[in-house]
Amino acid sequence: MRKKIVAGNWKMNTTLGEGLNLLEDILEGISARPDLETQVVVAPPFTHLEAFVNKAWDSSDIAIVAQNCHQEENGAFTGEISAAMLASLNVDGVILGHSERRLYFGETDEILAQKVRIALENELVVIFCCGESLEEREANRHIEVVSQQLQKALFDLPEESWENIVIAYEPVWAIGTGRTASPEQAQEMHRAIRSYLAGQIGHLAMEVPILYGGSCKPDNAEEIFAQEDVDGGLIGGASLKANDFLSLIDHMEASL
Ligand code: PEP
């Protein structure tokens, strides 16, 4: 069975103290759910990573990942963080290609291809985000756009890399807007992604988790998580409240 994942992207939210309190509440919730099959992932700001890895080291149910890394190994890139630095903290992985990074920080498919490669070389799991804008969806180009994002960043990787790749489909028009893809829209895209992957990597496509992201909340997750090709969620806003996040994990478990 494909891995099921509920991942929280905290973005630029919480001070270290606030973050530790939130993590504590999540860890408490996880230990009250002893038979979890869902892999829980938390992506806090860079400044929290070391403390979070230390706090969560004995829980295999939770993975700590970063929200970004630089595409070069090291060098004169003031303010940036390398994949090797993340690996040296025992961080489990990294989110790459989030639409906010593409939009506000000019990350292109070509830069993302470099980031993916260097993250994998440093044995980080990559949660690779893709998704179309509203304009692209309205022009009925959503599947083509997402396929191109995947093609450009992922398809010259060696086969064994795919064990460490998770795809997150995040329609840009649904991120932080309160507007969610319908379960049918999510399933249509997830199926399209899986069949596109199958065309490139064959049977391995069946093992790649594909998460949905975009205003996913306790009151809409049940139907989305029930879709055949939806293997979990990448959650922004709702991951900042422990109860909501735990409730999303419960919805994922109920769909198994
Ligand atoms: C995200 O930023 O990855 C995200 C899905 O945000 P939200 O859940 O707030 O739409």
Side-chain angles (χ1 to χ4, degrees):
M1 194 176 76
R2 277 190 298 276
K3 204 183 264 182
K4 305 294 173 177
I5 300 170
V6 173
N9 173 15
W10 290 11
K11 312 192 186 191
M12 195 175 72
N13 290 300
T14 73
T15 60
L16 180 57
E18 290 162 351
L20 283 166
N21 288 340
L22 180 52
L23 178 66
E24 186 117 357
D25 291 345
I26 293 169
L27 287 171
E28 227 169 79
I30 288 176
S31 56
R33 292 163 172 76
D35 298 318
L36 270 193
E37 288 184 42
T38 303
Q39 173 71 65
V40 179
V41 177
V42 168
F46 282 133
T47 46
H48 301 17
L49 287 169
E50 186 173 12
F52 276 37
V53 168
N54 290 338
K55 206 162 178 64
W57 73 270
D58 62 345
S59 172
S60 59
D61 291 322
I62 191 159
I64 306 298
V65 308
Q67 299 172 18
N68 182 32
C69 69
H70 196 267
Q71 63 271 27
E72 299 290 342
E73 241 165 78
N74 52 39
F77 302 104
T78 302
E80 290 292 326
I81 303 284
S82 73
M85 292 172 190
L86 298 178
S88 74
L89 294 183
N90 294 321
V91 162
D92 298 291
V94 60
I95 298 173
L96 293 175
H98 192 283
S99 63
E100 288 154 13
R101 301 281 331 159
R102 294 177 191 259
L103 195 64
Y104 306 138
F105 301 95
E107 293 193 3
T108 59
D109 292 319
E110 292 67 30
I111 291 174
L112 289 170
Q114 285 177 267
K115 290 191 178 209
V116 168
R117 186 167 288 280
I118 202 140
L120 292 169
E121 278 169 14
N122 282 280
E123 297 181 9
L124 297 169
V125 170
V126 170
I127 301 180
F128 183 81
C129 304
C130 54
E132 79 287 356
S133 66
L134 187 57
E135 205 182 17
E136 288 160 342
R137 175 160 283 267
E138 284 173 350
N140 205 24
R141 292 186 51 232
H142 49 295
I143 291 178
E144 173 201 330
V145 166
V146 167
S147 304
Q148 275 176 16
Q149 291 171 343
L150 298 175
Q151 172 68 45
K152 289 185 181 157
L154 299 181
F155 286 123
D156 59 351
L157 295 170
E159 227 179 74
E160 62 276 10
S161 298
W162 284 89
E163 278 172 34
N164 292 318
I165 295 177
V166 174
I167 307 278
Y169 167 56
E170 299 206 303
V172 178
W173 47 272
I175 296 179
T177 58
R179 204 174 152 186
T180 324
S182 67
E184 296 72 26
Q185 285 173 322
Q187 172 57 21
E188 180 205 31
M189 181 61 89
H190 283 229
R191 167 136 315 165
I193 291 173
R194 200 173 309 286
S195 54
Y196 187 68
L197 297 184
Q200 307 284 331
I201 56 170
H203 67 282
L204 291 177
M206 292 309 291
E207 303 304 321
V208 178
I210 307 177
L211 315 184
Y212 169 78
S215 300
C216 194
K217 300 188 200 68
D219 63 4
N220 60 27
E222 188 179 345
E223 274 189 296
I224 294 177
F225 290 171
Q227 303 302 308
E228 195 182 330
D229 287 284
V230 176
D231 303 309
L234 180 55
I235 317 296
S239 69
L240 293 168
K241 291 186 193 131
N243 284 341
D244 285 358
F245 191 57
L246 292 165
S247 156
L248 287 163
I249 294 166
D250 290 336
H251 281 304
M252 187 72 252
E253 290 284 300
S255 75
L256 298 176

